[in-house]
Amino acid sequence: EAGVTQSPTHLIKTRGQQATLRCSPISGHTSVYWYQQALGLGLQFLLWYDEGEERNRGNFPPRFSGRQFPNYSSELNVNALELEDSALYLCASSFSGNGYTFGSGTRLTVV
Amino acid sequence: GENVEQHPSTLSVQEGDSAVIKCTYSDSASNYFPWYKQELGKRPQLIIDIRSNVGEKKDQRIAVTLNKTAKHFSLHITETQPEDSAVYFCAASNSNSGYALNFGKGTSLLVTP
């Protein structure tokens, strides 16, 4: 069974640009979660999508947004990139909280 | 919102000793408490979890205890081995928030031979 897959693995962007990160959940999982892991700040919850809708978001500004597609895959968009957005972005999927699994992440570097 | 505190931030033990990591949470609605192990450059891996209707759970050398009244939960690793060296994260969540995880800041565990 394929796990949670994320792309790209690495992404380098310039300050002010937009970044798009993608996540494919485990087959059968309807919920997708996004987390930011910045150096020294641990893992912070960003967004939760379920059945195509944004259900909850963490304490992040509106320039962090995303969507979930009919096939339950998801993308995270970060607009107006700032240097402090440099981090590992992790996606996880579950079915009603069961089988919670993380992907390998996208390393975003803002220069 | 939920606030999870984790201690200690670093822990060094000798191989064969036990390691204990403690977490507290603030939201009494939290009912799911997983623990993750993250090795350098890798994704977090679930090692054990506990739900609020259980006080203790064990899986081989790893155990987790939960005290709902005091709002704290702990990870116990016995007979530690060098391959247990990693960063460990506790988290708390509840079904109402769709199991969005609120993480502690992590404990860097070093097991020396």
Side-chain angles (χ1 to χ4, degrees):
Chain A
E1 176 187 281
V4 177
T5 58
Q6 292 187 243
S7 63
T9 307
H10 294 86
L11 189 58
I12 300 175
K13 290 286 186 178
T14 303
R15 190 170 48 183
Q17 285 188 316
Q18 179 196 45
T20 298
L21 289 62
R22 295 180 177 83
C23 172
S24 292
I26 288 174
S27 177
H29 285 187
T30 59
S31 283
V32 170
Y33 311 80
W34 288 95
Y35 293 87
Q36 182 194 67
Q37 188 170 28
L39 202 61
L41 293 179
L43 283 150
Q44 297 186 79
F45 167 67
L46 260 166
L47 290 158
W48 166 41
Y49 291 94
D50 185 64
E51 297 288 355
E53 300 284 332
E54 180 182 307
R55 304 292 184 180
N56 197 8
R57 66 182 292 128
N59 190 25
F60 281 84
R63 57 191 187 82
F64 287 84
S65 65
R67 53 181 171 165
Q68 186 178 34
F69 299 98
N71 66 353
Y72 302 112
S73 67
S74 175
E75 68 179 30
L76 172 70
N77 296 295
V78 188
N79 294 319
L81 284 165
E82 301 177 1
L83 295 177
E84 50 266 35
D85 296 333
S86 295
L88 179 67
Y89 288 84
L90 290 160
C91 168
S93 73
S94 82
F95 179 72
S96 298
N98 295 307
Y100 213 110
T101 304
F102 280 90
S104 295
T106 293
R107 173 75 61 186
L108 173 64
T109 302
V110 183
V111 298
Chain B
E2 174 66 275
N3 182 45
V4 178
E5 301 279 344
Q6 183 173 347
H7 300 280
S9 57
T10 60
L11 181 59
S12 183
V13 300
Q14 291 231 307
E15 183 177 1
D17 287 349
S18 295
V20 180
I21 302 170
K22 298 182 179 181
C23 290
T24 60
Y25 63 99
S26 61
D27 188 352
S28 57
S30 290
N31 56 11
Y32 176 63
F33 307 91
W35 286 87
Y36 285 86
K37 175 183 180 182
Q38 189 176 30
E39 297 176 7
L40 193 62
K42 296 191 176 180
R43 75 186 77 188
Q45 297 270 17
L46 178 69
I47 56 171
I48 197 167
D49 58 7
I50 192 167
R51 297 188 186 267
S52 60
N53 57 346
V54 175
E56 184 173 356
K57 184 176 178 181
K58 190 172 182 181
D59 183 4
Q60 298 182 5
R61 297 186 296 110
I62 295 172
V64 57
T65 58
L66 171 64
N67 183 327
K68 279 200 69 181
T69 304
K71 295 199 188 73
H72 65 70
F73 56 113
S74 301
L75 177 72
H76 304 253
I77 306 174
T78 59
E79 301 171 28
T80 54
Q81 301 165 3
E83 49 266 39
D84 293 330
S85 297
V87 180
Y88 291 80
F89 293 95
C90 64
S93 72
N94 69 75
S95 53
N96 294 333
S97 68
Y99 298 101
L101 299 175
N102 297 282
F103 284 92
K105 291 201 180 301
T107 296
S108 180
L109 174 64
L110 177 64
V111 181
T112 54

